[in-house]
Amino acid sequence: MSKYFYPLIENPFSDDDIRKGIKVLKSKQLTLGNTTRNFEKTFTSKINSKYSLMVNSGSSANLLALQCLINPYRKERLKKGDEIIIPTLCWSTSLWPIIQSGLTPVFIDINPITLNIDETQIKKKINKRTKAIMLIHVLGNSCNMDQLMKIKKKYNLLLIEDTCESLGSKYKNKYLGTFGEFSSFSFYSSHQISSGEGGMICCKDKMDYNIIKSLRSHGWSRDTSFENKISKKNKHLDKRFIFFNSGFNLRPTEITAAIGHNQFKRINSLIRIRNINRKKIINILTNNRFLKDKIYIYEKNKFVTPSWFGLSIKIVNTKMNTKKRIIQNLEKNGIETRPIISGNFAKQPAAIKYGLTKNNKYPNTDNIYNNSFFIGLPTKKIYNHYLTRIAKAFEKSFK
Ligand SMILES: Cc1ncc(COP(=O)(O)O)c(C=O)c1O
């Protein structure tokens, strides 16, 4: 049994999700097939993307986007040393695909209110080598997309949206993940939908779509627009196994596709329940006499219709080590907590080992690491006795 009465996520699977997974298992068609293709189609039409391709994780989606940008089949490919702007508040696999693709990340601090990239700082970091922005939409929120798109246009930059934490959020009625050339989504446990492991990559260009399709499956031409041309040129080869590109194997299984698709069909209701629960929890915490001046709840940015991942909380008036103590107490009192992504990634040992930090200071990201955290949001209706228990556990932890 879980040690938490308030876990990051309770069982994310409905009985029907499990039935759909078992049906695939019984069919014995576990490798990529129509179940995955159907999910891709539904995803494309719901979020209004141009092309979607399911992969085995959100990390793989980021990797494919970056690998596509340096691919020789791309008309305009990025070259070694080209720079990509990225907020310091990012996940490891938002960052590493940049380095793994021979490109150079350039960190930018975050806006302390939205937790997203501080778009007002981007221009300062742009030079001749700047080619793209890797945007992270943090926990269901986003930066000012109007301003960001203006910068993108003015400096002719590519945009990759890491939407792994924000499936279903909209900015001015347009889904996050449909602004840039590429976007990634994660279906890992506790995200807006979950298939255990899984993810989706979306893109706007047909050639990019065919490149990532080949990269997803070993670099072969099968099922891509390259297939006929390549096989005509290479008549001596078995048409089914022509490897014309570099490649990985980042495919999902049909089981994860079936479960992900089934959950995706009810995403609107999952978002709605999380929003209702979020309001109830905020209400009980901020109306609590003891807690109300000790916590600050992060709110959505202007023009964002959020699909919340979790509830982000700042501990007000923190002294050194206060957060550590409170987090330990919350965990002991049955509330599961998480840091807000990785904190300042430039301070993680891996970034230091790879020499990615050049004495730049990112005070806003440091601050949120020192004083903020998040808790999950239940996807089932919650009742008063549960809310009272949450408030009591918070009170006890803040004493
Ligand atoms: C912002 C961000 N990007 C990428 C990922 C990676 O997704 P996955 O766990 O599906 O590989 C995560 C994971 O939670 C994330 O939060």
Side-chain angles (χ1 to χ4, degrees), residues 56-62 89-94 136-139 162-165 184-189 191 196-199 309 341:
N56 57 3
S57 71
S59 303
S60 300
N62 283 339
L89 188 65
C90 64
W91 189 248
S92 80
T93 49
S94 325
I136 323 291
H137 298 299
V138 179
L139 296 170
D162 181 333
T163 321
C164 286
E165 299 187 348
S184 59
F185 298 87
S186 167
F187 311 143
Y188 186 68
S189 187
H191 287 237
E197 297 276 5
F309 183 121
I341 319 193

Side-chain angles (χ1 to χ4, degrees), residues 345-357:
F345 202 88
K347 285 199 171 160
Q348 290 285 348
I352 295 164
K353 183 82 178 162
Y354 277 73
L356 302 180
T357 348

